[in-house]
Amino acid sequence: MIREARSQDAQCLTALALQVWLTTYTTDGMRDEYAAFALATFTPDYFKKIINNQDNKLLVYERDSAVLGFLLINFTSHHQGQDNGFEVEKLYVHSGFQGQGIGRQLLDELSKRYGDRYWLYTWVENDSNVFYQRLGFEKIDEISFQFAGHDIHNNVYRSPTN
């Protein structure tokens, strides 16, 4: 089932975000700056603020009362103007359930509820690049930022029907 997140989901969302983020970004081992960032960012309060912010929507994929994935939308974030729509900030699926269509279902539900004009970015080394390309997303740009003294390069995609 896909539904909007509730405040009581904050603890599960925190744990899931930590699991996915750390699995994705600590491929060369756990470093202090990565651990510090993840633990300071992904907290129950972080998710409660998002849930209560009208500029965001947080969709949860739940099965048998367990949160298996979530999708975070930021309606006020735009890339190169408003023509590319709103931003999908996060699409996280528990690593044990990836490849089961959960991410695709979350994106389909997003399109039904809020429209199909959106953009997102993902780290160039993230396996999710293949997922988005397979779904027909178009790479429209690259962006980089500094994190822990390293340049982090990302691919920017827009939704297939955009």
Side-chain angles (χ1 to χ4, degrees):
M1 163 177 69
I2 297 175
R3 60 173 174 76
E4 285 190 24
R6 303 181 291 249
S7 291
Q8 58 264 36
D9 295 320
Q11 188 164 289
C12 287
L13 292 167
T14 297
L16 178 58
L18 287 167
Q19 187 263 338
V20 172
W21 195 91
L22 291 170
T23 300
T24 301
Y25 296 106
T26 62
T27 57
D28 61 348
M30 188 60 62
R31 299 181 187 281
D32 187 56
E33 56 269 12
Y34 288 89
F37 172 83
L39 292 170
T41 301
F42 300 117
T43 65
D45 284 342
Y46 166 83
F47 282 102
K48 287 176 185 175
K49 285 178 188 172
I50 288 170
I51 290 166
N52 292 317
N53 183 340
Q54 66 184 7
D55 293 333
N56 300 107
K57 284 293 178 188
L58 187 57
L59 298 178
V60 171
Y61 185 100
E62 182 181 62
R63 184 187 305 155
D64 298 325
S65 301
V67 175
L68 304 183
F70 69 84
L71 185 144
L72 172 58
I73 305 160
N74 182 336
F75 291 113
T76 62
S77 178
H78 303 284
H79 183 72
Q80 300 176 339
Q82 295 187 0
D83 289 344
N84 290 315
F86 54 85
E87 181 183 6
V88 172
E89 279 191 21
K90 291 175 183 45
L91 175 55
Y92 285 5
V93 176
H94 187 290
S95 61
F97 296 90
Q98 291 177 0
Q100 296 182 18
I102 294 169
R104 180 182 211 136
Q105 289 177 57
L106 282 163
L107 289 170
D108 288 346
E109 188 66 24
L110 157 79
S111 293
K112 285 182 208 169
R113 291 183 187 210
Y114 307 110
D116 55 11
R117 287 187 41 212
Y118 57 89
W119 67 278
L120 56 88
Y121 69 89
T122 185
W123 181 38
V124 296
E125 296 183 39
N126 191 334
D127 292 339
S128 67
N129 285 282
V130 174
F131 168 76
Y132 294 118
Q133 291 164 3
R134 191 175 62 237
L135 292 179
F137 282 70
E138 179 186 358
K139 181 181 169 186
I140 58 170
D141 202 0
E142 294 178 11
I143 57 175
S144 298
F145 58 88
Q146 283 276 317
F147 180 77
H150 302 283
D151 286 327
I152 307 298
H153 302 285
N154 296 274
N155 292 321
V156 179
Y157 295 100
R158 70 173 161 208
S159 55
T161 56
N162 196 348

